[in-house]
């Protein structure tokens, strides 16, 4: 899959794309990321990409023409059409289902806004979908783009060390949409606190049962909405329900 990222700050992506477990997804081309700076196609002495907002008020707005021209460059390079996604507080909130959708796709063109945002005429003419990463405002769409690219890369086969380990992550349908259980490592005792004994027992059935209990406990405490969703989807067993009842 190919993601074309349109950003005024492509340099922000270099360390992200070359660090950590997801690096392999980007370097192997499994998640092929290309960066485009609208400034490269902007005209005039100053290669302007932003201008004052009509109607007055503070801040600048990204001009539509350099963005539209960048889409033309991408279309030529890419050779096939792709959905155009704009990161914006207006958009649909990013969650596991949306990440999974893009993880199964051919990719997309990701537009990172800056300043007060993007001229609405560009949005109306070219943007297919808008994505928000939460009810707060960032200075640019680059962090949201990285959030999406990272989450998509994690879901690619053979990217995480253990081929299936994303199945054990929070929100994953393989975990019935629950939160992950707590994790412990060495030493067995730290600052007066011991690791739960069952984890040292080597008894796989008991460990699996303990983890399921912890997932249910954590989820019911911190995200009861996810318990309701799992129940509505028929994902909770009678044993799960009995445990949840004992927590009340
Ligand atoms: N004036 C806008 C905010 C602009 S912030 C408003 O009040 O809604 C500049 C850019 O950062 C936006 O164009 C968008 O691309 C990005 N951005 C900011 N917050 C975001 C969020 N919560 N989710 C996704 N993108 C966001």
């Amino acid at each position: 899959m190919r993601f074309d990222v349109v950003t005024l700050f492509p340099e922000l992506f270099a360390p992200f794309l070359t660090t950590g477990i997801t690096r392999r997804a980007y370097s192997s081309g499994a998640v092929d990321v290309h960066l485009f700076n609208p400034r490269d196609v902007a005209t005039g002495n100053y290669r302007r990409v932003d201008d004052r907002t009509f109607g007055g008020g503070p801040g600048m707005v990204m001009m539509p023409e350099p963005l539209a021209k960048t889409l033309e460059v991408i279309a030529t390079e890419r050779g096939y059409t792709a959905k155009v996604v704009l990161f914006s507080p207006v958009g649909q909130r990013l969650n596991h289902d949306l990440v999974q959708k893009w993880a199964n796709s051919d990719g997309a063109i990701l537009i990172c806004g800056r300043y007060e945002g993007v001229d609405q005429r560009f949005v109306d003419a070219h943007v297919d979908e808008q994505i928000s990463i939460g009810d707060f405002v960032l200075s640019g769409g680059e962090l949201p783009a990285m959030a999406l690219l990272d989450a998509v890369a994690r879901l690619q086969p053979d990217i995480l060390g253990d081929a299936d380990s994303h199945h054990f992550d929070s929100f994953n349908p393989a975990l019935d949409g629950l939160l992950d259980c707590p994790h412990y490592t060495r030493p067995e005792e730290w600052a007066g606190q011991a690791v739960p004994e069952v984890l040292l027992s080597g008894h796989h059935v008991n460990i699996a049962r303990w983890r399921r209990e912890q997932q249910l406990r954590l989820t019911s405490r911190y995200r009861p909405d996810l318990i309701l969703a799992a129940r509505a989807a028929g994902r909770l067993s009678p044993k799960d329900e009995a445990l949840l009842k004992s927590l009340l």
Side-chain angles (χ1 to χ4, degrees):
M1 78 185 57
R2 170 171 170 156
F3 285 96
D4 295 290
V5 181
V6 179
T7 169
L8 293 174
F9 299 101
E11 64 275 17
L12 290 177
F13 287 82
F16 165 72
L17 292 171
T18 52
T19 310
I21 192 94
T22 47
R23 176 175 50 97
R24 264 190 300 151
Y26 309 124
S27 63
S28 69
V31 180
D32 194 15
V33 179
H34 296 250
L35 302 166
F36 294 86
N37 190 340
R39 210 174 285 285
D40 294 339
V41 294
T43 49
N45 284 350
Y46 297 102
R47 292 186 171 272
R48 255 199 123 125
V49 290
D50 60 298
D51 210 330
R52 283 191 300 270
T53 174
F54 276 130
M60 306 296 271
V61 178
M62 286 178 78
M63 296 159 72
E65 187 60 14
L67 290 171
K69 275 199 188 151
T70 305
L71 290 187
E72 283 171 24
V73 172
I74 293 171
T76 311
E77 246 192 50
R78 212 177 154 106
Y80 57 96
T81 55
K83 283 258 158 69
V84 177
V85 174
L86 171 67
F87 294 101
S88 166
V90 163
Q92 185 185 352
R93 181 85 62 87
L94 190 60
N95 63 15
H96 177 82
D97 289 344
L98 197 49
V99 169
Q100 186 72 67
K101 181 188 101 167
W102 289 110
N104 295 340
S105 76
D106 290 343
I109 299 166
L110 308 179
I111 312 275
C112 305
R114 278 271 157 178
Y115 317 117
E116 291 309 315
V118 171
D119 187 301
Q120 187 60 35
R121 292 166 297 181
F122 174 82
V123 181
D124 294 341
H126 292 292
V127 170
D128 298 303
E129 276 186 41
Q130 301 188 61
I131 296 178
S132 164
I133 64 163
D135 291 351
F136 52 89
V137 172
L138 295 159
S139 311
E142 287 77 10
L143 288 171
M146 289 184 221
L148 178 64
L149 291 170
D150 183 277
V152 161
R154 276 183 80 78
L155 292 182
Q156 299 308 308
D158 303 328
I159 289 306
L160 301 189
D162 171 345
D164 279 329
S165 63
H166 65 251
H167 288 155
F168 302 112
D169 281 341
S170 298
F171 311 113
N172 200 291
L175 213 67
D176 297 322
L178 303 177
L179 297 176
D180 192 10
C181 61
H183 299 281
Y184 299 87
T185 186
R186 282 189 284 191
E188 285 179 22
E189 192 171 319
W190 176 79
Q193 298 185 78
V195 171
E197 225 176 285
V198 60
L199 296 179
L200 308 174
S201 69
H203 193 301
H204 297 299
V205 175
N206 288 352
I207 292 172
R209 188 183 310 130
W210 181 87
R211 287 187 169 149
R212 182 71 177 182
E213 280 178 20
Q214 293 297 317
Q215 287 155 8
L216 291 163
R217 265 174 208 280
L218 272 182
T219 311
S220 87
R221 176 160 175 205
Y222 293 106
R223 292 293 305 276
D225 58 306
L226 298 178
I227 296 280
L228 295 181
R231 183 174 289 139
R235 291 173 173 275
L236 299 182
S237 69
K239 263 192 193 157
D240 293 337
E241 294 290 4
L243 179 94
L244 288 168
K245 222 169 152 190
S246 76
L247 298 178
L248 293 176

